[in-house]
Each structure stands twice: as structure tokens, then as C-alpha cells.
Amino acid sequence: MIRHIENADVIDKENLLKTCCGRKILSYLQAYGTGFDFCRFFVNDTGSVMLLINSTLLITGEHFERDELLAFADMNRPFRIEGSDRAIELLTGIDGYQKLHRTIFRLIADESSSADESDINFQPRLDDVYQILSEGFPNLLDYQLWLADTSHRVRHGLSSVFSYKDATTASIVYDIDGYVLVGQVATKISARGSGYARVFLKWLADYLSKQNKTAFLYALDTRESFYREIGFEVYNDEYVLERKDDKNESVEKGKLN
């Protein structure tokens, strides 16, 4: 049985450390705990953990009752569903969703970045970051939702946001146990073709490597070749589900990372 939990001690945190999705769930648990309606944690009888956060459903674990999982997803209708291969397999074909392939890349430092660190802003104005993101992501969260979440996580040292030449941005979604997830990578339309993203991401890979961090990022197929060309290493691949019946209402959109 899938049940909503209010006591974080029920969650096996050591098990969450084993996967990218699990660490992402753990990062939200560290950021918010279990007391917010927009960030709800669930477990089933086998200890699998699920999180509903701003219209994204994250799922860990391999053991589920198919009908129960389908009913849970259909009742909540998140914009995006991501997580374990088994959960995605069971939910594939759910009405109103499309299955998208994405590659998990490991950032590889080669010290070839030509970025001048004076062009890196380690604490950019979040309004400026949102403007860059809004030009690259049609599924960007409503501004107030994005700002509340991002500023909270940055303020508590759980995430970081960078920009390069005030035109390209990327975020550290989480930094847990030496593992880092990079997300929300975008460049202003006016600066595309400048090579900024390539230079900036090479710098970021080197910056994280020097801190002995193992860094990953996700790429849908439309961006997969770009990260290969940079020299990042394919670590794994997976599928996510996204709702097809979106009516372009930003408050219903899924998170970028």
C-alpha cells in the first residue's frame, strides 16, 4: 500500500544514496522535511520511496503493485514521472503520457576550458537566471514557484547557481556524499552559437573535479550529441514520462532538472 508519510525516520536514507533519483529525493527531504503540501513523501510496503514535488513525481525502488502505482499516478497526474526502470516500465502506456529517452552523462574534466573565471558569476541574481531559463525551457515552472524553491535551496547551502558572461547558466541541483547533479543548463537566445555553453560546462566540470566531486547531468535525445562532443562520458540511460495534454499553463509544468 502506498501511504503518505510525515515522519522522515520511515525513509531508508542509505538506500536513497544508491541512485541519482534517490539522492534527488534525499536532497528535497533535507531541504524541506515532510511538513509541506507541495513536497509530499510516500512509501509502500516494500520501502520504495516516492516524492511529489511541484508537479514532478520521483520514484525509487523496484517492487510495486502495478494497479496501485497506476492509480497513484493517475490520481495525481504529475507533469513528469521519473525514477526506477521498473516503475517507468509499469507506468508506460498510462493515458495522456509520452515516454522520452534521456542519457545520464558524467562530467569529465580535461582542463581545456578557456573560461576566464572573472566571467563566472557564483551568485547571480535569480531574476536574471530565470530570464535565461525562460528562453530555453517551455516547461519552466511559474516564476514564484521556481524562485521560492531555488532561493530556499541556495540559502540553505543545498544548491548552487552559476552564470557565465550573463548569458549562460547552470545549477547544482544537489551535492550529496560527493555526488553532484547539474541541471537547468541554458543560454540566452541572443548568445546561442557563441560557444558559451561549451566553455562554461568544461569549466564547471574542472571546477567540480578539483573538489573531488563526481558530477552528472541528464540530456534528452535532442541534446545528447552536444554533451558527447564536449567530451562528457555516457554513464547510463533511462526513460521518463511526460504529460502530453499540457495546456501551457506554467503552474502545472514540471521541474527542469
Side-chain angles (χ1 to χ4, degrees):
M1 181 178 70
I2 297 173
R3 63 187 188 278
H4 178 225
I5 62 167
E6 296 180 350
N7 181 359
D9 292 339
V10 172
I11 296 175
D12 183 351
K13 301 175 185 63
E14 289 298 318
N15 199 43
L16 291 179
L17 289 171
K18 296 178 181 179
T19 64
C20 289
C21 183
R23 289 189 290 268
K24 194 171 177 182
I25 290 175
L26 183 57
S27 74
Y28 280 107
L29 184 63
Q30 292 175 343
Y32 295 109
T34 59
F36 292 88
D37 287 341
F38 70 90
C39 183
R40 293 180 290 152
F41 296 85
F42 302 81
V43 297
N44 69 4
D45 294 336
T46 68
S48 296
V49 181
M50 287 163 278
L51 167 64
L52 274 169
I53 173 73
N54 288 334
S55 200
T56 291
L57 173 60
L58 304 171
I59 307 174
T60 66
E62 300 295 329
H63 303 289
F64 304 93
E65 291 291 337
R66 181 175 185 273
D67 290 344
E68 182 182 35
L69 188 61
L70 284 168
F72 181 83
D74 192 54
M75 177 178 66
N76 290 284
R77 302 297 292 177
F79 174 75
R80 176 177 294 136
I81 304 172
E82 57 184 82
S84 68
D85 291 344
R86 180 58 177 163
I88 297 300
E89 177 187 347
L90 292 175
L91 291 171
T92 296
I94 186 173
D95 185 50
Y97 284 82
Q98 59 183 328
K99 189 176 184 180
L100 301 175
H101 177 262
R102 69 182 183 185
T103 302
I104 304 173
F105 283 93
R106 180 177 174 180
L107 278 64
I108 302 298
D110 61 11
E111 299 183 354
S112 66
S113 173
S114 58
D116 185 333
E117 197 157 293
S118 65
D119 290 324
I120 306 293
N121 191 336
F122 290 80
Q123 294 181 312
R125 291 180 65 252
L126 293 183
D127 286 358
D128 296 336
V129 171
Y130 186 85
Q131 182 58 46
I132 297 172
L133 292 173
S134 68
E135 295 186 19
F137 291 93
N139 296 326
L140 184 58
L141 277 172
D142 171 81
Y143 170 74
Q144 293 298 336
L145 290 175
W146 178 88
L147 181 64
D149 181 41
T150 303
S151 61
H152 175 86
R153 291 161 63 83
V154 169
R155 189 166 60 251
H156 287 82
L158 300 167
S159 296
S160 305
V161 180
F162 305 86
S163 67
Y164 175 65
K165 289 183 178 289
D166 299 322
T168 297
T169 186
S171 296
I172 303 301
V173 179
Y174 66 68
D175 182 349
I176 294 178
D177 203 29
Y179 292 94
V180 168
L181 178 64
V182 175
Q184 302 192 4
V185 179
T187 298
K188 284 182 177 179
I189 293 174
S190 61
R192 290 177 190 171
S194 62
Y196 286 177
R198 181 185 302 269
V199 171
F200 174 49
L201 288 171
K202 280 179 172 287
W203 171 86
L204 186 58
D206 185 54
Y207 172 79
L208 293 171
S209 177
K210 287 176 178 176
Q211 299 179 54
N212 296 315
K213 306 291 186 183
T214 301
F216 300 97
L217 59 76
Y218 299 128
L220 292 174
D221 287 351
T222 54
R223 297 292 289 166
E224 188 258 0
S225 62
F226 172 74
Y227 294 113
R228 285 183 185 271
E229 290 168 6
I230 290 178
F232 292 170
E233 179 182 89
V234 174
Y235 174 77
N236 205 344
D237 70 335
E238 63 183 16
Y239 289 89
V240 298
L241 302 175
E242 284 195 358
R243 208 171 61 213
K244 294 188 294 186
D245 61 351
D246 181 77
K247 296 180 175 58
N248 208 31
E249 295 175 4
S250 61
V251 73
E252 296 183 353
K253 299 301 182 93
K255 288 189 71 63
L256 301 175
N257 40 55

